[in-house]
Structures are given as C-alpha cells and as structure tokens.
Amino acid sequence: MEPPTSSRLNSRKRRKDGSGPNGETELDGVPPKMSRRSLGLREPAPFSDEVEIDYSKPYIRVTYEEAMRGTPLDRPVRVYADGIFDLFHSGHARALMQAKNLFPNTYLIVGVCSDELTHNFKGFTVMNENERYDAVQHCRYVDEVVRNAPWTLTPEFLAEHRIDFVAHDDIPYSSAGSDDVYKHIKEAGMFAPTQRTEGISTSDIITRIVRDYDVYARRNLQRGYTAKELNVSFINEKKYHLQERVDKVKKRVKDVEEKSKEFVQKVEEKSIDLIQKWEEKSREFIGNFLEMFGPEGALKHMLKEGKGRMLQAISPKQSPSSSPTHDRSPSPSFRWPFSTKTPPSSPANRSRNESAVTYDISEDEED
C-alpha cells in the first residue's frame, strides 16, 4: 500500500534539510536507517570446475598490507578454507564467516575433502561427500566450492586456484604424520587465523547421539524405521518397544497425578471459601440469635409486653374515686324457704313468706 502524498513530501523535506552526510538526520534520537540491499544469495555457490578462470593474467599474490587496504573490484583477495564439514553446523558457518570478512574485498573458496580421503586420515563420517558438498554450497559466505580437496595443500594446488591466503584456526592440526599440516603455509606468510566456536563441533554432536543412543533408536522405531535400518537386534527392538510402552504408562500416571493435584488444589480453594462463608454466616446467625433470645433480646421485651397486656386484661376495673359512696345496711342473711325452723304454712302464708324472703348479697356480688 502506497503511503499518502503528504507523508512522502515530509520525508523528502527531512532528507533534504538533513545536516549529516548524504542528507541523513536523527529525529528524536532515532539513528538513520541502513540503505536497502540484498543480504543473501539467491543460488548456491558454484563448484570450482564450473568456474572459468582467466589464465592470461599472471598469478601474483597480494600482500597482507595490500589486502587490508582493499583491492580493486576486479581483483578480490582469494581466501581458501578447507575442512570435512560433516554434520554442517553453526561452528562451520561462523568459521567461514570470519574467513569471508578477513579483508574488505574477499572471494572465499572452500575445499571439501572426499569420503575416501577422510576415512583414511580421520575416520568415518555421518554424511557422505555429496551431502557435505551440498551443505557447504548453501552457506551464504561461500563463493566457490572445491570438491575432493587435498589433505595437504601443495604449491601446485595454490597456484591452480590462485589462492592468496589460507584461513583456519590457529590450533596446530596434526595429521598425516605431521605435527601441523598448515606449517608450510604459515612459514610462507599465507596463513590467516580464525577463531573456533566453543561448545559446538561435529565430535560433540556425535557424542550426544552416542550418549543418548537408546532414546534416538526408540524415537526412530516409533517413527517407522525398521530394526534392520537402525542396526538394532531383535532383543533390543523388543526392549525398546517395552520401554516405550512403560514410558507411555508413566506419562499417563504423571498426567493423572497432575490432574489430581489440580483437582485437590481446587477443592482446597473451594473448601477455604466455604469455611470462610460458613464462619461469616455463623457469626451472623449467632448475632441474630442473641438479638432475639439474649438477656436483652427482642423476645424478652415481647414477653414483658404480652404479660402486661394479659394482666391488664384479667385485672378488675377500679371505680372512679370521684363517685359518691352509698351507706348500706347490712344485708339480711339468706334463708331457705323450706327451713325446718319455720312451721309449715298455708299457701297464702307461703306466698307471703316467699315475698318476704330476703337475700344477703355482698357488695362485690352487686358489682
């Protein structure tokens, strides 16, 4: 997506008004950006037998001082680096990067020894020669690859490839009956030392594989490789399969343990929450209970109020003090009409007696 026109104009003004070289500026402490350029190659490096060399020009080596000052573009400093490059790793790549950056204008030629030469002088390799050639070809710092490179560099080989300097680490490399195969190169002033990358080498990688052989064998058997391809005996094959099953069971048990731990942890968290809520609710319940049934609770006040109302309801009404009092004669005693003390009388007398009957009524009964 193309940026707006106003932003393009502003960027042009900033470049034009810049105080640095080539109109470079630093805005708000931001350093100027690098110019866009290709940082990698698009194709692998060619082999030496595929590159044409102009033998019409004489082979004249450049000195170290001339190489450091910088040579013309049509005459780069030709640096040679050789090796086995088995299991190509970052240590190899870093060594070739150092060789490429020895001088301002460097053309890096890398020699790779064949399987036959390597097996005779060093030992068996994991990768065959074609695989090692291809790995070096695809390193970004390499300009040319020499297949079947010699173990010891001869003057004829150096002249054939027009080599100016040989790059290698400065540690003496003893082999082929020599204390240092680069001794004559150093004496000729053609040696350019590089630094080894500590902690990584082909021997270290092979040591890891040998140390963890059972793990890698089991892994490849699981991925579909046969015991014959891995050079594994029938007994070891069965042992590896049994170990694989045991590991699966262990993994399942471990997963169950982890899940159970998570479940127990969740239950503990829930139980803690429940206990806290229960404590809060219990305090609230006890407080409400005391408010209702405590010594000064609402129930006691309700009972007092109810008792007072009940006593008021069952107590007699008092006469008003302002009402006049009546003097009353003592009430006659009650006499039964059929008392034995009185002689029987005639009906006329009986009626008179009945009318004359008086009742002794107390003052309370009258009320």
Side-chain angles (χ1 to χ4, degrees):
M1 185 175 179
E2 189 175 0
T5 307
S6 59
S7 62
R8 290 202 304 270
L9 292 175
N10 292 333
S11 62
R12 289 173 185 172
K13 290 179 180 179
R14 286 196 297 269
R15 286 198 298 267
K16 185 176 180 181
D17 299 334
S19 58
N22 299 325
E24 296 173 353
T25 60
E26 291 189 8
L27 299 176
D28 300 330
V30 179
K33 295 183 178 180
M34 297 174 60
S35 60
R36 295 184 61 183
R37 58 189 179 90
S38 177
L39 298 177
L41 300 177
R42 297 178 180 271
E43 296 180 359
F47 293 115
S48 59
D49 52 4
E50 299 174 351
V51 179
E52 295 182 359
I53 300 177
D54 187 7
Y55 291 100
S56 61
K57 296 180 180 180
Y59 168 56
I60 302 175
R61 287 187 54 250
V62 297
T63 63
Y64 185 81
E65 291 76 12
E66 292 174 345
M68 290 302 295
R69 284 197 303 266
T71 55
L73 294 177
D74 59 344
R75 176 54 175 98
V77 180
R78 296 174 68 87
V79 177
Y80 177 82
D82 59 357
I84 309 301
F85 301 105
D86 191 20
L87 297 176
F88 192 86
H89 51 75
S90 61
H92 295 142
R94 288 175 179 273
L96 298 179
M97 178 186 68
Q98 294 178 55
K100 179 69 174 179
N101 290 280
L102 284 172
F103 307 105
N105 185 17
T106 304
Y107 183 85
L108 182 59
I109 306 169
V110 180
V112 183
C113 300
S114 63
D115 287 344
E116 181 181 1
L117 201 62
T118 304
H119 296 167
N120 291 334
F121 289 100
K122 190 169 184 178
F124 189 75
T125 58
V126 178
M127 301 169 63
N128 59 43
E129 58 184 23
N130 292 324
E131 293 171 339
R132 292 185 285 112
Y133 297 154
D134 188 65
V136 175
Q137 264 191 304
H138 289 83
C139 179
R140 62 187 298 180
Y141 310 111
V142 179
D143 297 306
E144 183 180 330
V145 177
V146 177
R147 291 179 287 190
N148 193 15
W151 196 261
T152 302
L153 300 179
T154 61
E156 292 78 15
F157 179 83
L158 298 175
E160 178 185 357
H161 294 279
R162 302 195 168 194
I163 296 170
D164 296 313
F165 296 95
V166 177
H168 200 273
D169 60 82
D170 202 11
I171 301 174
Y173 193 88
S174 59
S175 179
S178 174
D179 294 337
D180 189 2
V181 295
Y182 298 103
K183 183 178 180 180
H184 63 290
I185 302 295
K186 295 177 181 178
E187 293 175 350
M190 298 176 62
F191 189 80
T194 58
Q195 299 295 324
R196 291 178 63 90
T197 303
E198 298 296 334
I200 182 68
S201 67
T202 302
S203 300
D204 293 338
I205 296 174
I206 294 175
T207 301
R208 298 178 199 172
I209 297 172
V210 173
R211 180 190 60 195
D212 302 326
Y213 170 76
D214 291 345
V215 177
Y216 296 122
R218 287 166 51 189
R219 182 188 67 177
N220 288 342
L221 285 172
Q222 186 181 6
R223 291 183 176 181
Y225 287 89
T226 63
K228 184 177 181 181
E229 291 174 336
L230 297 174
N231 196 22
V232 174
S233 64
F234 177 79
I235 297 176
N236 287 335
E237 180 185 5
K238 299 303 178 183
K239 181 184 73 173
Y240 293 148
H241 285 304
L242 179 61
Q243 290 176 351
E244 191 68 27
R245 293 174 185 174
V246 171
D247 289 345
K248 287 182 179 179
V249 173
K250 288 181 179 179
K251 185 178 179 181
R252 291 178 182 176
V253 172
K254 187 176 180 180
D255 293 341
V256 172
E257 288 180 354
E258 292 178 355
K259 290 181 180 179
S260 62
K261 288 180 181 179
E262 293 178 358
F263 176 75
V264 171
Q265 186 177 0
K266 290 181 180 179
V267 170
E268 289 179 353
E269 293 175 356
K270 291 289 184 181
S271 63
I272 292 172
D273 294 339
L274 289 174
I275 291 172
Q276 291 177 351
K277 291 181 180 179
W278 182 82
E279 289 179 352
E280 294 174 359
K281 292 294 182 182
S282 63
R283 293 192 190 97
E284 183 179 355
F285 176 77
I286 292 171
N288 294 335
F289 182 83
L290 293 175
E291 288 180 1
M292 179 62 70
F293 301 100
E296 300 296 332
L299 182 62
K300 185 175 182 181
H301 294 290
M302 291 172 61
L303 291 175
K304 287 182 178 180
E305 292 178 0
K307 185 177 179 181
R309 291 176 182 176
M310 186 180 295
L311 292 174
Q312 185 179 2
I314 63 177
S315 61
K317 297 180 179 180
Q318 300 292 334
S319 59
S321 58
S322 59
S323 61
T325 58
H326 300 280
D327 295 334
R328 296 181 182 180
S329 61
S331 60
S333 61
F334 180 76
R335 297 177 183 178
W336 290 102
F338 300 103
S339 176
T340 57
K341 293 182 179 181
T342 58
S345 59
S346 61
N349 293 330
R350 188 181 302 163
S351 60
R352 283 195 304 268
N353 292 331
E354 289 178 357
S355 62
V357 173
T358 60
Y359 294 90
D360 188 7
I361 301 173
S362 63
E363 193 174 350
D364 295 328
E365 291 175 350
E366 182 182 358
D367 292 336

